[in-house]
């Protein structure tokens, strides 16, 4: 199980890095478009019409892709006060429930995002001449990534928990003398 999880993690590392790089490139491109808009408006006295729709388009992509990576890296805000004071088995249960809820949310994003893409694909973003549905594609991609990252986090938690329990049992077995050793001492 550990080798399969390790292989899955390596694959998801590639997905995560790719999504983060695309998000970074989108952020830089959006910043450049907005800078050009400001330059055009205040310096050239001619506001480019394409910069605002492009900035919104890119923002959808980089925000949703980066938020999917946030699920994997666990850098979203969370209230861990209750989680930190409960016993370990309850904490594990809370983590698994959290991953399942986040995974269900990602699945809903992908499902309803695909309906939104299909419903708006024939419309065109006027200034960009792109299908309107392309602006909603990141809902599908990030939703699928959120599901995959939630599955990975859940499996990792279960495997590590199982491995830890096995290691503790092994340490306890070696710490206690065997019955035959006790009988020989008598």
């Amino acid at each position: 199980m550990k080798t399969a999880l390790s292989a899955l993690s390596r694959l998801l590392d590639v997905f995560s890095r790719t999504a983060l790089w695309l998000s970074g490139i989108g952020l830089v491109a959006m910043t450049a478009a907005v800078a050009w808009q400001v330059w055009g408006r205040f310096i050239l006295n001619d506001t480019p019409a394409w910069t605002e729709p492009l900035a919104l388009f890119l923002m959808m992509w980089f925000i949703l892709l980066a938020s999917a990576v946030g699920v994997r890296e666990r850098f979203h805000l969370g209230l861990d006060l209750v989680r930190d004071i409960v016993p370990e088995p309850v904490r594990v249960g809370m983590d698994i429930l959290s991953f399942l809820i986040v995974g269900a949310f990602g699945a809903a994003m992908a499902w309803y995002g695909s309906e939104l893409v299909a419903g708006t694909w024939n419309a065109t973003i006027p200034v960009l001449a792109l299908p309107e549905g392309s602006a909603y594609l990141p809902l599908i991609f990030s939703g699928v990534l959120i599901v995959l990252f939630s599955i990975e986090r859940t499996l990792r938690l279960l495997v590590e928990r199982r491995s830890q329990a096995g290691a503790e049992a092994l340490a306890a077995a070696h710490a206690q003398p065997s019955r035959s050793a006790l009988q020989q001492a008598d």
Side-chain angles (χ1 to χ4, degrees):
M1 180 68 168
K2 273 189 169 185
T3 57
L5 182 58
S6 180
L8 175 67
S9 287
R10 282 193 303 276
L11 176 66
L12 294 181
D13 279 342
V14 172
F15 290 168
S16 178
R17 266 195 310 274
T18 302
L20 209 49
W21 271 99
L22 289 173
S23 293
I25 291 167
L27 177 62
V28 170
M30 185 203 71
T31 304
V34 170
W36 181 253
Q37 181 178 16
V38 170
W39 178 266
R41 178 179 296 151
F42 293 109
I43 305 299
L44 303 177
N45 259 350
D46 184 25
T47 303
W50 56 269
T51 54
E52 186 177 349
L54 180 64
L56 293 173
F57 180 84
L58 292 171
M59 191 180 300
M60 285 282 288
W61 278 92
F62 77 76
I63 287 175
L64 288 169
L65 289 175
S67 67
V69 174
V71 169
R72 183 165 199 250
E73 302 298 327
R74 293 191 78 162
F75 57 70
H76 288 294
L77 292 176
L79 298 173
D80 292 339
L81 177 67
V82 174
R83 183 188 168 277
D84 290 343
I85 61 173
V86 297
E88 180 68 19
V90 176
R91 184 177 312 138
V92 170
M94 290 172 73
D95 285 344
I96 290 172
L97 179 62
S98 172
F99 295 144
L100 291 175
I101 291 170
V102 169
F105 180 78
M109 275 178 59
W111 179 265
Y112 292 110
S114 66
E115 289 182 358
L116 187 59
V117 167
T120 59
W121 194 262
N122 291 329
T124 303
I125 301 173
V127 179
L128 300 179
L130 293 172
E132 182 75 35
S134 63
Y136 305 114
L137 281 174
L139 286 169
I140 299 170
F141 292 129
S142 64
V144 169
L145 286 175
I146 287 171
V147 169
L148 291 173
F149 294 155
S150 295
I151 290 169
E152 178 198 22
R153 299 292 301 186
T154 303
L155 291 176
R156 183 171 300 289
L157 179 68
L158 292 173
V159 167
E160 287 174 356
R161 176 89 172 128
R162 187 174 173 202
S163 174
Q164 181 183 10
E168 288 172 0
L170 186 61
H174 286 295
Q176 296 174 351
S178 65
R179 287 188 182 197
S180 61
L182 287 175
Q183 289 173 350
Q184 287 176 356
D186 289 335

